[in-house]
Amino acid sequence: MALTQVSSNKCADGFQKVFEHDSTELKCKMKFAVYLPPKAETGKCPVMYWLSGLTCTEQNFITKAGSQLAAAEHGIIIVAPDTSPRGCGIEGEDESWDFGTGAGFYVNATQDPWKTNYRMYSYITEELPKLINANFPTDPDRISVSGHSMGGHGALICALKNPGKYKAVSAFAPICNPMQCPWGQKAFSGYLGSDRSTWEAYDATVLAASYSGPQLDILIDQGRDDQFLSASQLLPDNLIAVCSEKKIPVVFRLQPGYDHSYFFIYSFINDHIKHHAKYLNA
């Protein structure tokens, strides 16, 4: 489980670092970013995992979201992985922006030629946390998950599929019901095949309907002027309806004037980190 440091920059009195490693799940070299708050120099810290959206790498969040000041204040390590395997030499992996490279959708693929490498769900929930806990001053029992768009979908399914594992979950403009939207249908049919019943294991709206576990307080921010909201890619209403039926507490904030970009994330990231800190530092 050797790590190679790619970069290290002092930031908000802590350090923003990027590492590379050979992934056993994804069978390729992977990079991830880790923010170590000042508190990490003297004690164990909880970890928030951030899952990015389509086309992103580990860089987008750490350079655009402005998360480091709040992470430093609350003593939270933030881990931001890449969004897919890279350079696997799979035919068609670089053909479209919403499938293949940069678009792993946080599922374990079952279809050829994707199933060998495209195992982002296991990478995020199993391999990466083990790696982080072995190499950084973490408290392995205090973890949470957040994300944006495709990564918001990833965060929601990780929390809903693993009751009690994540102390908190939040999302910005998540793909809430991928079985019912063009992005999700394209990705799921490619990675999981044509049997739609296998898609249900990775759809937050379906998973919420059968969730039984410790109370999960979900925070979702959504820009009202998000072009993908109006294009019916995100479908938050479907998830909210199920959560209210199942008495799963959701704070859903429709933010007037905001779009789908990192300018939107930057505007509300402090609220999200505060939400995570409430449960991580309890």
Side-chain angles (χ1 to χ4, degrees):
M1 296 211 292
L3 293 184
T4 306
Q5 185 168 288
V6 176
S7 65
S8 176
N9 300 93
K10 186 156 187 176
C11 183
D13 282 330
F15 284 91
Q16 180 62 66
K17 295 173 180 274
V18 174
F19 290 90
E20 189 172 59
H21 73 109
D22 288 308
S23 167
T24 50
E25 284 289 355
L26 309 179
K27 314 277 190 293
C28 67
K29 277 198 186 319
M30 289 295 285
K31 286 183 183 148
F32 65 84
V34 58
Y35 178 71
L36 299 169
K39 192 180 166 217
E41 289 180 23
T42 55
K44 291 189 185 308
C45 298
V47 183
M48 180 183 113
Y49 287 84
W50 170 271
L51 307 182
S52 288
L54 290 164
T55 74
C56 289
T57 68
E58 81 290 340
Q59 287 291 315
N60 300 68
F61 180 75
I62 66 173
T63 55
K64 294 180 175 179
S67 61
Q68 291 92 344
L69 282 168
E73 181 192 339
H74 294 287
I76 297 171
I77 291 171
I78 302 184
V79 175
D82 203 345
T83 52
S84 78
R86 300 265 165 188
C88 297
I90 300 169
E91 193 179 334
E93 69 185 353
D94 296 325
E95 272 173 23
S96 53
W97 65 277
D98 55 359
F99 185 78
T101 303
F105 263 87
Y106 305 104
V107 304
N108 285 345
T110 56
Q111 304 299 298
D112 287 323
W114 311 99
K115 65 184 184 188
T116 304
N117 305 95
Y118 278 69
R119 297 181 49 78
M120 285 299 290
Y121 177 74
S122 288
Y123 177 70
I124 296 298
T125 58
E126 292 169 34
E127 181 181 0
L128 189 58
K130 280 184 192 141
L131 193 66
I132 298 299
N133 294 335
N135 288 281
F136 301 100
T138 64
D139 178 346
D141 294 329
R142 292 188 293 152
I143 68 169
S144 67
V145 64
S146 184
H148 170 233
S149 196
M150 173 184 76
H153 140 78
L156 290 168
I157 64 167
C158 284
L160 290 165
K161 283 166 77 65
N162 298 280
K165 182 182 174 90
Y166 298 95
K167 302 287 183 221
V169 60
S170 72
F172 290 84
I175 302 171
C176 293
N177 195 183
M179 291 183 70
Q180 304 297 335
C181 78
W183 277 341
Q185 289 164 355
K186 177 176 180 175
F188 286 4
S189 55
Y191 296 136
L192 304 173
S194 55
D195 177 1
R196 291 176 65 100
S197 68
T198 63
W199 301 5
E200 297 178 354
Y202 296 108
D203 186 307
T205 299
V206 176
L207 291 166
S210 61
Y211 179 79
S212 60
Q215 181 169 312
L216 197 56
D217 289 86
I218 303 171
L219 170 63
I220 297 174
D221 271 318
Q222 172 63 61
R224 190 183 281 167
D225 289 8
D226 185 328
Q227 70 272 35
F228 300 116
L229 178 66
S230 47
S232 299
Q233 292 282 22
L234 306 176
L235 306 172
D237 294 350
N238 297 2
L239 176 63
I240 291 158
V242 168
C243 286
S244 62
E245 200 178 298
K246 290 282 295 180
K247 309 275 191 290
I248 298 170
V250 179
V251 173
F252 177 77
R253 308 191 303 186
L254 196 58
Q255 305 286 9
Y258 286 92
D259 59 20
H260 197 70
S261 72
Y262 265 88
F263 295 111
F264 161 57
I265 298 171
Y266 179 93
S267 305
F268 300 103
I269 190 68
N270 285 2
D271 292 352
H272 284 246
I273 291 173
K274 199 181 284 182
H275 170 77
H276 287 255
K278 179 178 156 188
Y279 298 96
L280 290 172
N281 293 329

